[in-house]
Amino acid sequence: MSTPEHCTELKVASIQMVSTPDLKENLSAASRLIKAAANDGAQVIALPEYFCLMGLKDTDKVQARENFGSGPIQEQLAASAKENGIHLIAGTIPLKAKDENKVLNTTLAFDPQGKTIGRYDKIHLFGFQTQTERYQESETIEPGEIPSLLRISVNQEVWSFGLSICYDLRFPELYRSLGQVDCHVIPAAFTYTTGKDHWEILLRARAIENQCYVLASAQGGTHQNQRRTWGQSMLIDPWGTILAQLAEGEGFISGVLCKEKLNEVRSKLPALAHRKL
C-alpha cells in the first residue's frame, strides 16, 4: 500500500550499536549517533537494549545500576535529548531493584527539555540454552509488572507509542493490552541464533496484527564478551512493509510515521474493530 498524498508526519530513527563493556565508550557512541540522527531530521530517536553496557559477565550491569532519577547514564540521556531537541526513547539502562543482586532492565523516555516522561521495566525475561549458548536473564534481572504507553505531542499532534523490550516481542498479549497505538518501539539485543530465524517475522507480525508502525532498535554485531547479536534494526509500516533496515554494525535508520497511513490501513481492513475477544 502506498503512502497517502497528504501526510501528518513524524520522523523517527532507531540507532544500532555494538556495545562494549566500557560504559563511557558506549555513552559517547550513543551521543554521537543521537546527534547524527537528529541532524538528519529525526524528532523521535530510539536506542537499543543494553546500549550503555554489554558486560563481560552478566553481573557487570548490577555494578552499573542507578537509582531512578539520578546517575551519570540518565544525566547524559537527558542532556542529549535537550541538546538535540528530540524525544529520546533510551533503549534500556540498569536501575536498582528490590533485590540488591539484580537490576530492573528499564526503558526511559525523555522530552526535548530533558525531562523523563516515560518508563517501562522489562516484563518478560529471556532464557535460552543449547550446548554452546546459555542466557538466563532472571539471574540478574528483576521483572517489571506494568505495561507502558508513551504519549507525546509534536506540532500540536499527539502520537502514541507502546513500549516493550526484546523478549517481550514473543508475547503478543502484551501488545494487545496496550490498545491502539501509532507505533511500538522495541529496543533489543536479540541473539544471532534466534534473530536469524524469528526477528523479522515477529516484528512484522506485531505491526500487521496491531495495524501500527514498529520501530526496532537493535544491537548488531560480535561483542567483546563473544556474544553475537543479530542486528537488523527496522522501521515497519502498518501493512507489514519494511521501510528501512540496517543489517549489522553501528549506525541508524530513519523514516516517517504517517497518521493518514494508519487510518487508511485501519479503514480498509478494520481488523481491530472486528475483535471478539
Side-chain angles (χ1 to χ4, degrees), residues 199-215:
W199 172 248
E200 180 181 319
I201 295 167
L202 288 168
L203 285 171
R204 295 178 74 187
R206 296 297 86 84
I208 293 165
E209 70 197 9
N210 293 293
Q211 299 189 313
C212 67
Y213 290 91
V214 165
L215 182 68

Side-chain angles (χ1 to χ4, degrees), residues 234-255:
M234 280 192 282
L235 176 63
I236 303 165
D237 80 4
W239 196 246
T241 303
I242 298 171
L243 302 178
Q245 62 182 317
L246 176 62
E248 275 192 296
E250 182 186 276
F252 70 90
I253 56 105
S254 63

Side-chain angles (χ1 to χ4, degrees), residues 76-86 88 110-115:
Q76 180 154 329
L77 292 169
S80 285
K82 188 173 182 179
E83 176 186 334
N84 293 287
I86 50 99
L88 178 61
F110 299 84
D111 71 9
Q113 288 73 50
K115 179 184 175 186

Side-chain angles (χ1 to χ4, degrees), residues 5-259:
E5 288 185 20
H6 171 69
C7 193
T8 305
E9 295 184 349
L10 182 72
K11 188 164 184 179
V12 300
S14 77
I15 287 170
Q16 186 161 289
M17 295 177 63
V18 187
S19 295
T20 76
D22 188 321
L23 181 64
K24 289 184 178 179
E25 182 181 321
N26 297 326
L27 289 175
S28 176
S31 293
R32 171 171 46 81
L33 290 161
I34 290 167
K35 181 176 286 294
N39 288 343
D40 188 54
Q43 298 157 289
V44 176
I45 298 173
L47 287 165
E49 185 180 28
Y50 300 133
F51 81 91
C52 60
L53 188 69
M54 189 68 84
L56 293 174
K57 53 186 186 299
D58 286 346
T59 51
D60 287 355
K61 59 180 169 285
V62 180
Q63 307 307 315
R65 64 187 175 177
E66 295 183 354
N67 286 310
F68 176 55
S70 66
I73 302 171
Q74 293 169 83
E75 288 168 8
Q76 180 154 329
L77 292 169
S80 285
K82 188 173 182 179
E83 176 186 334
N84 293 287
I86 50 99
H87 286 88
L88 178 61
I89 300 175
T92 69
I93 71 166
L95 292 185
K96 286 190 176 178
K98 293 173 187 172
D99 186 333
E100 62 182 20
N101 297 311
K102 296 182 180 182
V103 299
L104 293 163
N105 193 22
T106 301
T107 295
L108 295 178
F110 299 84
D111 71 9
Q113 288 73 50
K115 179 184 175 186
T116 305
I117 56 169
R119 172 177 175 173
Y120 168 67
D121 302 329
K122 186 178 184 180
I123 290 175
H124 299 99
L125 303 184
F126 182 56
F128 179 76
Q129 187 163 346
T130 66
Q131 290 184 336
T132 56
E133 289 180 278
R134 181 182 183 276
Y135 304 99
Q136 200 62 48
E137 287 189 326
S138 60
E139 292 176 355
T140 53
I141 297 175
E142 193 172 277
E145 298 176 345
I146 305 169
S148 182
L149 194 64
L150 173 69
R151 286 189 176 88
I152 67 170
S153 179
V154 178
N155 299 326
Q156 284 79 54
E157 190 73 42
V158 176
W159 298 85
S160 59
F161 296 86
L163 301 180
S164 60
I165 300 167
C166 200
Y167 193 48
D168 284 331
L169 184 57
R170 294 183 181 272
F171 301 88
E173 63 272 20
L174 172 64
Y175 298 84
R176 278 291 195 240
S177 75
L178 290 167
Q180 190 166 293
V181 302
D182 297 313
C183 181
H184 281 294
V185 178
I186 308 171
F190 249 60
T191 68
Y192 185 90
T193 306
T194 58
K196 65 184 173 61
D197 293 329
H198 296 160
W199 172 248
E200 180 181 319
I201 295 167
L202 288 168
L203 285 171
R204 295 178 74 187
R206 296 297 86 84
I208 293 165
E209 70 197 9
N210 293 293
Q211 299 189 313
C212 67
Y213 290 91
V214 165
L215 182 68
S217 181
Q219 294 281 348
T222 302
H223 305 266
Q224 288 182 31
N225 60 11
Q226 299 310 304
R227 176 175 176 179
R228 187 179 181 187
T229 46
W230 173 246
Q232 202 183 4
S233 294
M234 280 192 282
L235 176 63
I236 303 165
D237 80 4
W239 196 246
T241 303
I242 298 171
L243 302 178
Q245 62 182 317
L246 176 62
E248 275 192 296
E250 182 186 276
F252 70 90
I253 56 105
S254 63
V256 171
L257 309 189
C258 173
K259 287 280 193 181

